[in-house]
Amino acid sequence: EAARWRREDPHLVFAGMHGARLAVRDGAIDWVVSSHIIEHFVNPVLHVGELARATTDNATVFFELS
């Protein structure tokens, strides 16, 4: 599925990283899906804070919990 999306939009990037230390510059991300991981963090506030740092002011962030 990800390969199909990349063909349709060459600017779309999928990346997996440590959720509390994203390897991107401030305000670099427009859209995030955090699916079934936040409940596994010892300190989920670090993940939320890191997403706040890495996303644009008008980004969409989707959290899904188990």
Side-chain angles (χ1 to χ4, degrees):
E1 189 71 11
R4 181 182 63 80
W5 289 343
R6 277 193 291 272
R7 282 192 305 276
E8 293 176 8
D9 185 351
H11 298 101
L12 184 63
V13 176
F14 291 87
M17 298 175 214
H18 189 290
R21 292 188 306 272
L22 300 176
V24 298
R25 69 183 185 283
D26 294 359
I29 300 173
D30 295 316
W31 210 89
V32 173
V33 174
S34 179
S35 180
H36 301 284
I37 65 166
I38 196 165
E39 63 270 21
H40 300 286
F41 281 92
V42 172
N43 186 350
V45 172
L46 295 176
H47 178 57
V48 174
E50 185 64 355
L51 291 179
R53 177 199 66 79
T55 53
T56 62
D57 289 339
N58 60 348
T60 299
V61 179
F62 174 79
F63 290 100
E64 185 172 7
L65 307 173
S66 295

